[in-house]
Amino acid sequence: METLIDTFGEPTLMLVLGLVVGAVFGLAAYRSRFCLRAATAELAEGRVGAKLMIWLAAFTTAVVSVQSAVWIGALDVSNARQLASVGSMSGAIIGGLMFGVGMILARGCASRLLVLSASGNLRAIITGLVLTLTAQASLSGFLSPAREQIAGLWVVNGGTARALFAPDSPLLPVAIALCTTCLVAVLVIGPRRGAPRADLVGAMIVGLAVYAGWQGSYAIANASFELVAVQSVTFTGPSTDTLMTLVTAPSMPASFGMGLVPGVFFGAMIAAIFMGEARIQRFEPNVPMERYLFGGILMGFGSMLAGGCAVGAGMSGGAIFAMTAWVAVFCMWIGAMTTHVLLGAMGDPKLI
């Protein structure tokens, strides 16, 4: 690793890591139909079906692989933003609820919108742009005072106060064992619930992509004399950075996030082409466009409050046992399931 750093430099290595991890994630996510919105909709309807099995396979794989590496000392995520910096419980709760509502209205979370965009889905592209612009406005624009005020209602210090388990906690191997048992159960039960084995394998690759992001960035940071952020897959922040760089800068700086977004896009595009599903898809005439746009706004603001999207907080943050990430993803489930039930009660199946 030191030789690679001396030859190419840390930014270039992080860019390549982002491209590779993103391409694997995009291809596997598209192939497996990995989608948190679909999983929450299934459960809201009282079904334990294929979509839920696929999400659980991805999530438990990410947790088991990351925490196993932490337990044996091969990975140290204590300096990751989701653990080391000050967090917000109020942001995780309110932002998670907003994000959950938004992803039902928009029929996809941030990662799913990016993956679908690669297949030619214009609804996903436009909704994703609205999400990204709202996120930027929430980070440093006219919505930032509201975000800061809500986030400041209930804060938690970084470090051990923000972690579910310390790396040396005797409860850590117990948690790993429980998650491993859950993963095995999903792989056994999943096909009986309609989840093809190939899709379950694809979902596991999604989880391993999250692990690869943590492990790869840690390897670079551990071998570097420069300050390198240990990070993994997330979409709201990198998407805003990519968009603002394209709009305001003549050149694109090398970083993990700058490689991640195009990597996911092209990985998903390859999957869509090989599966024969690459085609232009427009807004349907009987589904209001404003529903998607309002969903994008809620997700953009909610993700900045919650500290990440369904993947950034839910998968990457959840995999390193960040307490605020687990609260955020739980609230995403609550917000999404409640919204799905309410829309279903309105009697129009097109709304859900």
Side-chain angles (χ1 to χ4, degrees):
M1 182 59 70
E2 290 83 355
T3 302
L4 290 174
I5 290 175
D6 291 340
T7 304
F8 301 103
E10 294 89 342
T12 300
L13 290 181
M14 291 294 286
L15 175 69
V16 173
L17 176 65
L19 280 169
V20 174
V21 169
V24 172
F25 183 99
L27 198 155
Y30 191 95
R31 175 62 183 83
S32 65
R33 316 292 184 186
F34 167 76
C35 179
L36 177 59
R37 181 203 68 85
T40 59
E42 258 188 3
L43 196 58
E45 294 171 1
R47 296 183 292 117
V48 178
K51 300 301 183 183
L52 179 59
M53 294 292 104
I54 288 170
W55 187 86
L56 286 173
F59 180 77
T60 52
T61 298
V63 173
V64 169
S65 56
V66 170
Q67 289 303 321
S68 295
V70 170
W71 186 39
I72 65 175
L75 175 63
D76 182 4
V77 293
S78 60
N79 291 324
R81 171 185 59 83
Q82 294 93 327
L83 289 174
S85 62
V86 174
S88 170
M89 288 294 289
S90 55
I93 295 169
I94 298 173
L97 290 171
M98 292 179 67
F99 192 96
V101 174
M103 72 178 179
I104 293 294
L105 297 178
R107 303 186 73 173
C109 66
S111 63
R112 185 63 178 165
L113 292 176
L114 179 58
V115 168
L116 289 177
S117 297
S119 69
N121 192 316
L122 298 181
R123 301 190 304 269
I125 292 174
I126 294 174
T127 307
L129 285 173
V130 171
L131 187 160
T132 302
L133 290 172
T134 304
Q136 182 63 36
S138 304
L139 176 65
S140 58
F142 76 101
L143 293 176
S144 60
R147 175 187 60 78
E148 292 170 358
Q149 185 172 10
I150 295 172
L153 295 175
W154 183 6
V155 298
V156 291
N157 294 326
T160 55
R162 202 173 171 185
L164 290 177
F165 301 108
D168 57 351
S169 170
L171 294 177
L172 181 58
V174 176
I176 295 172
L178 288 174
C179 288
T180 302
T181 302
C182 180
L183 175 59
V184 172
V186 166
L187 296 178
V188 173
I189 299 172
R192 304 175 190 173
R193 296 290 181 175
R197 295 187 186 279
D199 288 358
L200 291 172
V201 171
M204 292 178 67
I205 294 174
V206 169
L208 289 174
V210 171
Y211 162 72
W214 286 121
Q215 190 70 68
S217 60
Y218 170 71
I220 295 172
N222 195 43
S224 174
F225 291 105
E226 302 295 330
L227 182 62
V228 176
V230 180
Q231 57 191 297
S232 188
V233 182
T234 186
F235 290 100
T236 308
S239 294
T240 58
D241 292 342
T242 301
L243 179 62
M244 297 310 296
T245 298
L246 291 173
V247 172
T248 63
S251 61
M252 184 174 293
S255 68
F256 181 84
M258 289 297 176
L260 180 69
V261 173
V264 171
F265 186 88
F266 288 113
M269 179 184 292
I270 292 171
I273 291 172
F274 274 91
M275 294 174 67
E277 297 178 359
R279 62 184 184 278
I280 298 297
Q281 299 179 61
R282 300 175 177 84
F283 284 96
E284 300 170 8
N286 51 353
V287 179
M289 177 179 177
E290 58 268 24
R291 190 175 301 276
Y292 288 89
L293 302 185
F294 184 55
I297 291 172
L298 287 175
M299 284 194 289
F301 187 77
S303 62
M304 283 301 173
L305 262 180
C309 61
V311 172
M315 293 276 291
S316 294
I320 62 172
F321 283 162
M323 178 175 59
T324 49
W326 280 73
V327 171
V329 74
F330 174 77
C331 291
M332 289 176 191
W333 276 84
I334 298 300
M337 291 175 62
T338 302
T339 305
H340 185 86
V341 170
L342 291 176
L343 290 179
M346 296 173 66
D348 187 352
K350 286 292 184 181
L351 296 180
I352 59 176

